[in-house]
Amino acid sequence: MEGTETTLEHRMLTDTLGAFGEGQQATLTPEQGILLLEGWLNALPGDVGAERIMAELTILRDHLKTGEYDLEKIRHLLLSMASHTSTLSHEPVVDSATAHQLTQLAQSLRSFSNHF
């Protein structure tokens, strides 16, 4: 997520923060979640540091596609992604604006995990 140009990663970050309601209580359907996850899977290949999150995105997307939800598994994946996102926000290659958005995303993921 280097630089200030509008990349797919930055658009996904903005879209995801918007979907989480900018700090308000988010209500995402499984279908909306799958679309967001697939967007991230398209945006992150080749992004340094993102490999930590890619596997979890895939697992969560595939789990949501089954229609049979293990709420504890979903909660665990969201919290793990929040932790990885927070770590990414402190990488030296991440500019300050993106770091702030990544921190917001990590907080939103933690908050959203409380729904499960």
Side-chain angles (χ1 to χ4, degrees):
M1 290 198 188
E2 297 179 32
T4 56
E5 70 279 359
T6 302
T7 62
L8 183 53
E9 293 99 335
H10 283 95
R11 288 194 306 271
M12 284 305 305
L13 187 53
T14 300
D15 290 350
T16 303
L17 288 171
F20 279 121
E22 304 282 336
Q24 301 167 2
Q25 188 170 354
T27 54
L28 293 173
T29 66
E31 294 78 18
Q32 290 170 317
I34 290 169
L35 288 173
L36 279 173
L37 292 166
E38 288 179 349
W40 278 109
L41 288 168
N42 288 324
L44 291 177
D47 198 340
V48 175
E51 61 277 352
R52 295 173 271 189
I53 297 173
M54 294 285 293
E56 292 165 336
L57 291 168
T58 301
I59 292 167
L60 183 54
R61 180 204 56 198
D62 293 347
H63 182 71
L64 291 175
K65 283 184 172 183
T66 69
E68 297 180 21
Y69 311 122
D70 177 340
L71 299 181
E72 189 56 35
K73 180 177 187 171
I74 293 170
R75 183 176 180 279
H76 171 75
L77 287 166
L78 290 170
L79 288 172
S80 183
M81 286 188 287
S83 177
H84 291 312
T85 300
S86 181
T87 299
L88 281 173
S89 74
H90 294 90
E91 292 288 328
V93 296
V94 176
D95 63 73
S96 62
T98 302
H100 177 71
Q101 287 182 307
L102 287 170
T103 299
Q104 285 181 301
L105 179 57
Q107 291 169 344
S108 293
L109 288 167
R110 286 185 185 101
S111 176
F112 192 64
S113 75
N114 291 327
H115 296 283
F116 300 98

